[in-house]
Amino acid sequence: VKREECDLTTHVVNNAMAIKQPGVWFRQSADEGDRQAVFQIIQTLDTYHGQATGIFTGDEHYAGRNPSQGTELCAVVETMFSLEMLIAILGEVALADRLERIAFNALPAAFKPDMWAHQYDQQANQVVCKVAEDRIYTDNGPDANIFGLEPNYGCCTANMHQGWPKFTAHLWMKTPDEGLAAVAYAPCMVATQVAGQPVQTELQTDYPFDDSLHFSLQVDRPTRFPLRLRIPAWAETAEVSIEDEAPSVAKAGTFHCIEREWSGSTSVTLRLPMRVKVQRRYHNSLAIERGPLVYALKIGEEWRLIGGEPPHGDWEVYPTTAWNYALQINAGRPEESIRFETRPVGDCPFSPEGAPLLARTMGRRLPEWTLEHNAAGSLPESLVSSSEPLEELVLIPYGCTNLRVTEFPVLSR
């Protein structure tokens, strides 16, 4: 979008809010066309502006698929809220899959691990955060991607706080047949009523960093109702087991229904196998994903305080390690090229130091891939070649990064 063409029809936050419009109207119209319009909107945004994290670019206005363009934090949280409303109306697993992808990647990446500073714009390929008059953004200011109290404009300072609470409030939903549905997954406890009877549920898990989820349901008196557990589309051969019973296979991309009389305390275990996959991205690049998480290059950081006072100051962030790498990977069998390591989940998992998962793979530097407009230059079209030494690269979950490369050029074999 060219600056002179920008108006509210291309404004990223307006469109993040508007995603839910056809679904909300579907409640009145019952027109299947309105229902399908939701998915057409999402597909269109993916096609022309989509990023690997499930969000779309808009550094104030639509900005295309280049991973060095920005995505406004307001758009992240408003898209999440639109999806939460649509899940309640339409009950589609794909919408909940999308919600988790944004919540566990784009949301935590947009602020410091301690949440005392945030960015107005985040970038999927974000290799420096600095005040810059020469900038890549469509319509945002020189400080739009620094971490601060109120960079560029104060809307994200206010809006960022809706992301986690609203996500938490929509982890569970009731169903029209007097049942419960686990829509998204995070450690939680819920006290509610089903069929007029008190029910308590608790989920103990390290998800999204681990594939095992342990539910406990407690009822005061025997009560029959359906429990529905969302099985993400990526979770092939998922398994559900009740107490000590043999596990049953749950179909990916569905709500797995357990219809029974619940009595006393009952444990339910869900396992969601996470297999490494690749997304084909901008300029034929690749992004690495596993389960709900996208992985990005871990880059060394130097934080420079440029205003305010800690903890609510303004910071520029500069790279202390190289970022311009191409991956040596077999896109058809990525599991042969990437090795995952796990660490204990601590108090601040969404941070470079606290990342509970590491992915190790190989790559070579591309000296010709340099900064342009104070951002990672345009991605070289893959396949690429390099005579630089082969190096081991460390990737961590996108939401744990502050600087990152997410869409990588791919080396020719």
Side-chain angles (χ1 to χ4, degrees):
V1 178
K2 296 179 181 179
R3 179 170 296 186
E4 59 270 19
E5 298 173 351
C6 293
D7 58 28
L8 291 182
T9 62
T10 61
H11 181 228
V12 63
V13 184
N14 285 69
N15 282 277
M17 296 174 176
I19 291 171
K20 61 182 173 289
Q21 187 276 333
V24 172
W25 182 241
F26 171 73
R27 298 185 67 188
Q28 301 295 321
S29 70
D31 185 338
E32 182 62 19
D34 291 324
R35 181 188 184 96
Q36 292 302 320
V38 169
F39 302 96
Q40 181 181 351
I41 288 170
I42 293 173
Q43 181 181 4
T44 301
L45 289 171
D46 281 346
T47 299
Y48 295 103
H49 308 286
Q51 299 291 277
T53 54
I55 195 64
F56 52 98
T57 60
D59 33 39
E60 207 65 45
H61 295 270
Y62 285 158
R65 298 179 70 233
N66 182 349
S68 290
Q69 295 292 160
T71 296
E72 191 176 332
L73 176 50
C74 283
V76 172
V77 294
E78 290 294 358
T79 301
M80 288 176 60
F81 184 60
S82 288
L83 291 168
E84 289 154 1
M85 293 294 97
L86 289 169
I87 294 163
I89 296 167
L90 305 179
E92 293 283 352
V93 169
L95 299 172
D97 288 357
R98 173 79 59 148
L99 172 63
E100 280 194 351
R101 179 174 287 264
I102 296 172
F104 295 139
N105 295 283
L107 178 61
F111 34 73
K112 283 184 65 187
D114 62 8
M115 293 188 72
W116 274 105
H118 70 279
Q119 297 177 287
Y120 195 84
D121 287 333
Q122 67 172 286
Q123 298 155 293
N125 283 4
Q126 180 169 288
V127 300
V128 64
C129 302
K130 60 183 290 190
V131 178
E133 292 296 338
D134 179 17
R135 54 196 182 274
I136 195 171
Y137 311 123
T138 303
D139 197 36
N140 279 337
D143 63 343
N145 86 327
I146 69 166
F147 287 82
L149 175 65
E150 200 176 30
N152 193 76
Y153 190 70
C155 58
C156 294
T157 307
N159 277 341
M160 64 175 277
H161 300 92
Q162 68 171 292
W164 287 129
K166 289 183 178 178
F167 179 69
T168 303
H170 292 90
L171 296 175
W172 287 83
M173 297 185 184
K174 290 186 175 179
T175 58
D177 56 358
E178 290 291 323
L180 289 177
V183 169
Y185 297 124
C188 64
M189 297 179 66
V190 177
T192 186
Q193 286 197 341
V194 178
Q197 300 299 321
V199 176
Q200 293 186 2
T201 68
E202 181 178 0
L203 172 56
Q204 295 182 340
T205 184
D206 284 335
Y207 185 92
F209 306 109
D210 188 74
D211 64 2
S212 295
L213 300 95
H214 304 282
F215 300 86
S216 176
L217 276 75
Q218 177 76 41
V219 295
D220 292 344
R221 62 182 63 182
T223 308
R224 187 174 188 86
F225 63 87
L227 172 69
R228 291 179 170 84
L229 304 178
R230 176 183 130 262
I231 313 299
W234 49 259
E236 301 167 6
T237 66
E239 292 182 340
V240 177
S241 57
I242 303 171
E243 295 290 343
D244 296 327
E245 299 175 8
S248 58
V249 175
K251 184 179 179 181
T254 68
F255 279 97
H256 181 78
C257 184
I258 305 172
E259 173 77 54
R260 61 179 286 159
E261 183 178 83
W262 305 89
S263 179
S265 179
T266 307
S267 64
V268 178
T269 299
L270 172 62
R271 183 172 175 271
L272 301 173
M274 299 178 182
R275 295 180 174 85
V276 61
K277 299 180 179 179
V278 296
Q279 285 190 54
R280 187 67 67 177
R281 302 296 308 168
Y282 187 69
H283 285 184
N284 215 28
S285 64
L286 289 184
I288 308 300
E289 60 183 59
R290 184 171 176 258
L293 299 179
V294 177
Y295 285 77
L297 181 68
K298 184 178 182 180
I299 300 173
E301 303 168 3
E302 178 193 349
W303 290 70
R304 300 180 188 174
L305 183 67
I306 61 171
E309 58 184 26
H312 43 75
D314 291 343
W315 281 271
E316 294 182 328
V317 188
Y318 292 84
T320 61
T321 56
W323 57 265
N324 52 345
Y325 287 97
L327 296 185
Q328 179 172 287
I329 188 171
N330 181 351
R333 301 179 66 89
E335 67 279 1
E336 297 177 352
S337 309
I338 304 174
R339 184 177 80 257
F340 288 87
E341 299 177 9
T342 60
R343 296 178 174 180
V345 177
D347 293 334
C348 191
F350 288 112
S351 65
E353 300 78 17
L357 290 166
L358 301 178
R360 297 185 185 274
T361 189
M362 305 301 289
R364 300 179 192 270
R365 290 189 65 181
L366 297 179
E368 68 275 15
W369 189 21
T370 58
L371 292 177
E372 298 173 12
H373 305 295
N374 289 289
S378 183
L379 273 169
E381 186 79 32
S382 294
L383 299 167
V384 298
S385 60
S386 172
S387 59
E388 295 295 306
L390 194 63
E391 299 179 46
E392 183 180 69
L393 308 179
V394 176
L395 281 58
I396 59 176
Y398 182 104
C400 302
T401 63
N402 301 301
L403 298 178
R404 69 190 76 90
V405 170
T406 310
E407 299 190 15
F408 292 88
V410 182
L411 291 166
S412 59
R413 296 179 66 90

